[in-house]
Amino acid sequence: MEIFQSSGDESWETYMEEFIGMHGVITDPDANKNDPDDLVEVSLDEKGTFRFPQDCLKIIS
Amino acid sequence: MNISRCQVIETYDWIQGKQDAGELTHPRCRQKASEALELVHDIATGSAGNEHLTALTSLGKTLEQEGLTPECKQLGQKLSQILQENREVFQSHILTHTCPSGDCPQLTPSPCQMACPAGIDVPSYLTLIGQGRYEEAIRIIRRDNPFAWVCGLVCTHPCEFMCVRGRMDSPISIMQLKGFAAEKAISAQRYINPEQQEDNGKKVCVLGAGPGGLAGAYYLALMGYRVTVLESLPVAGGMMMVGIPRYRLPREVIDREVSMIEDLGVEIRLNTKVGRDVSIQDLKNEGFQAFLLAIGAHTSYKLGIEGEDDYQQVESAVDFLRRVNLGNHRKPGKRVAIVGGGNVAIDAARTCIRLGCESVSVLYRRSHDQMPAHKEEVIEAEEEGVGFSFLTVPSRIVGEQGKVCGIKCLRAELSEPDANGRQKPMPVEGSEHTMEVDAVIPAIGQGVDASGLEDLQEISWTKRNTISVHTSSMETHSPGYFAAGDVVTGPATIVEAIAGGKKAALAINRYFEDIPQPSMPPVPVRRRKLDFPNIPASLKMDLDRPNVEVLNTERRRITFQQVHLGLTEDKANSECKRCLRCDVCMRCGKCVQICRDQMGIDALQIGYLDFDNPGRTDLKIAAERCICCGACATNCPTGAMQMYDQDGERVLSLCGTELNRLKLEYCEYCGKVLGPRRYHDYITNRLKDISPALGNRSICIDCARKHSGQVHAETEPPNKF
């Protein structure tokens, strides 16, 4: 996944801005497949694991 | 200065630059700058103590006040300014031994540690397990996660998703190793709590005895707070106890973990719900000055179909699992339909099998590939006899004489992918059919039951019906109230709840100490920096991720015995040998680049350096190509690549993995070490057009000069003028 843009979702926080452009993998897929509005757990390469709204994520491979 | 770079290493480079440029002309100023450089170096390499920052601040002020030259004064002013503006960064480096930006090479954290929401120092505890030092391993884990044993059995292990070894073949079995070490430590009566600070007399109340609440209680108790946990259920453990079936997580495990937290003086009041048995005002009157809300997400989403509320035989997965886990083993029916495709649905289905249901079917509206449940869990469910009906959408629950007798369903087809690549299940018209079942268990999601929190008017709730917090501190919008776990994230993972509880505890401490809350989530702490165990590259490459023994299928179908039986000691120790020690190697690739581009040898095939497009890794190839020139080790910024002479051989190792070992040669004349033959040949070949004098002889430079001088003197008589 790539954090390709910031999100307007209320769960998006200021510190997440610096993650834009970073890559990672979905580590808990339980939510995202069923509900596009759910937060998804993503581990960013060497930056940690966070829950993001799905409108800031895109699949890159 | 570059503000996007870590300010610690940036400060180091800046002072070094001043020195190198000769800007500091006064001897005393140069001396003070050298002292400052040494202190910053210690901070950037993880060897600084608490007094370093004070000493550095004092140096800055001295330089500024003495003002021996304008450059000297400027240096002092700038240093003071940097320390004032970046105090937390410098402090964080000293306290955590971690540089989250990765700019300080020796403090770059490993991907597994960064991925762990609780920030456990994975490489250190794996190294200790590999050495049989289980108690020390558990001590490291429990500094960052009180539920080491629980997470050794049921963690979703994001660390393994990010494990660099996974880019090479398969990730290290980090979760299993944690569980193995926990069992060993508990069995040896060496599963102990970290040292606790003295009682500070301040009282904190935690609502909810799940992983988030109990983790918060643990860290608060360690910091000296008096903690009381209120739990509405008759048992502690939250979803660990009532949501996860016993065949995955035995009750004894949770009970032991909870009792460890009680040993710290934490009081747990069971069967006590805020709003029902006690009010927030009652608790305030009792002297509680801060609250951690960790009530979890214990309600179920409804299917929203006809008949759902009409029959007792329709029981949500959350309710079903709770009552079974609390001891009510009545089977829901003979033929059961479970609706949903997540882990909870699989847990419910496998529980039904164990209760003796004759037929258990999971109905999922999407395809097998799209099931969010863990693949391993799905396979085990199939082995145990759970049936699956994919692309099936329930439309109505039907019954006779007040009892469920079937569930009407439609077949579905997946739509074309939308802009986000998501395919929606579309019911096929006229495909309605009835499945004959006598019980239905919806498992399509969980939500937060906010009842009891009505008094907390200042708490903000999100559109997802979760408590709104700053996730760097878990502070709500109401001072003194913090929240963690599923009540914040919605139904999530145990380790995320633990991480939330830990962050909240740190924030509650700041609240009491009147320290501003952090704007970024905490940085994981490197607990130890251990030597690498040595292992040949061939063994490192050949070891495979171990299979975990599982209970036989017959017994799995009829009992709640633990299914996964863990690792044997041999397997655990071997598995630790596969670790690449990414806490030391920061995967900068300098070694590969220098070997290939500067030396023209290309002996290092390390494909795992690239996160997005990992290439092939073959650590064995170095033994065929490497000349042991040492260029890689000399240029390694972290000391991961090392070259040393041992027992007449020159060894090249990467984090303890012996990539190459070549026999040393010695000078024919003086006996000095020359290096391996392969290196000698490389040099001779490079110099053959310039200096062919040595031929195949093994002579050191000094002796070569003497020899050459002697020949020169013998063959060329001195000129006589």
Side-chain angles (χ1 to χ4, degrees), chain B residues 5-12 40-41 43-46 89 93 97-109 526 529 583-584 586 637-638:
Chain B
R5 200 165 166 239
C6 168
Q7 288 303 297
V8 176
I9 199 74
E10 189 66 15
T11 304
Y12 180 84
V40 179
H41 177 267
I43 296 172
T45 54
V89 178
H93 276 59
H97 300 159
T98 302
C99 173
S101 69
D103 292 324
C104 299
Q106 289 173 41
L107 300 189
T108 303
R526 182 174 304 200
K529 195 156 190 176
D583 58 328
V584 182
M586 61 187 283
T638 64

Side-chain angles (χ1 to χ4, degrees), chain B residues 534-548:
Chain B
N534 290 331
I535 176 172
S538 52
L539 180 59
K540 189 86 159 188
M541 289 288 294
D542 292 343
L543 286 171
D544 291 325
R545 184 179 161 107
N547 290 323
V548 176

Side-chain angles (χ1 to χ4, degrees), chain A residues 5-12 53 55-56, chain B residues 463:
Chain A
Q5 62 178 17
S6 61
S7 168
D9 189 277
E10 61 188 328
S11 64
W12 182 264
D55 61 349
C56 67
Chain B
K463 64 180 181 184

Side-chain angles (χ1 to χ4, degrees), chain A:
Chain A
M1 308 294 298
E2 180 183 332
I3 312 289
F4 77 104
Q5 62 178 17
S6 61
S7 168
D9 189 277
E10 61 188 328
S11 64
W12 182 264
E13 294 187 55
T14 314
Y15 70 82
M16 295 174 178
E17 293 288 336
E18 75 170 55
F19 298 148
I20 295 171
M22 288 185 177
H23 293 182
V25 293
I26 293 178
T27 39
D28 179 21
D30 210 0
N32 72 308
K33 286 183 177 171
N34 289 328
D35 188 351
D37 198 37
D38 260 345
L39 302 178
V40 180
E41 187 193 51
V42 176
S43 279
L44 294 174
D45 183 25
E46 308 195 10
K47 286 293 169 192
T49 300
F50 306 89
R51 287 214 170 239
F52 292 106
Q54 295 181 43
D55 61 349
C56 67
L57 304 172
K58 77 174 177 193
I59 297 169
I60 52 173
S61 63

Side-chain angles (χ1 to χ4, degrees), chain B residues 473-629:
Chain B
S473 63
M474 312 310 283
E475 189 184 28
T476 70
H477 301 287
S478 179
Y481 291 90
F482 301 78
D486 287 356
V487 75
V488 170
T489 55
T493 64
I494 291 174
V495 71
E496 280 177 281
I498 291 167
K502 185 172 151 190
K503 278 192 282 185
L506 295 172
I508 289 170
N509 185 49
R510 281 181 175 235
Y511 169 75
F512 277 107
E513 300 287 327
D514 206 18
I515 302 169
Q517 297 296 349
S519 56
M520 291 286 290
V523 174
V525 182
R526 182 174 304 200
R527 300 293 176 188
R528 299 277 286 273
K529 195 156 190 176
L530 295 153
D531 289 340
F532 323 115
N534 290 331
I535 176 172
S538 52
L539 180 59
K540 189 86 159 188
M541 289 288 294
D542 292 343
L543 286 171
D544 291 325
R545 184 179 161 107
N547 290 323
V548 176
E549 294 296 318
V550 292
L551 195 69
N552 71 61
T553 313
E554 284 71 28
R555 196 162 291 179
R556 273 156 51 187
R557 283 175 51 81
I558 55 174
T559 73
F560 280 87
Q561 284 180 33
Q562 197 175 338
V563 170
H564 290 186
L565 305 175
L567 297 173
T568 61
E569 190 154 13
D570 282 350
K571 281 185 177 180
N573 292 342
S574 290
E575 181 62 354
C576 292
K577 292 191 175 85
R578 293 176 65 235
C579 176
L580 298 172
R581 285 300 299 269
C582 304
D583 58 328
V584 182
C585 174
M586 61 187 283
R587 296 161 310 287
C588 64
K590 274 190 187 161
C591 52
V592 177
Q593 188 196 347
I594 282 166
C595 183
R596 183 188 57 216
D597 303 338
Q598 306 290 318
M599 300 304 295
I601 297 167
D602 201 11
L604 299 173
Q605 188 158 63
I606 308 177
Y608 61 67
L609 301 174
D610 193 321
F611 175 76
D612 286 331
N613 302 298
R616 181 167 171 260
T617 294
D618 186 355
L619 301 176
K620 290 190 257 189
I621 242 172
E624 296 166 17
R625 299 182 187 169
C626 167
I627 61 169
C628 282
C629 65

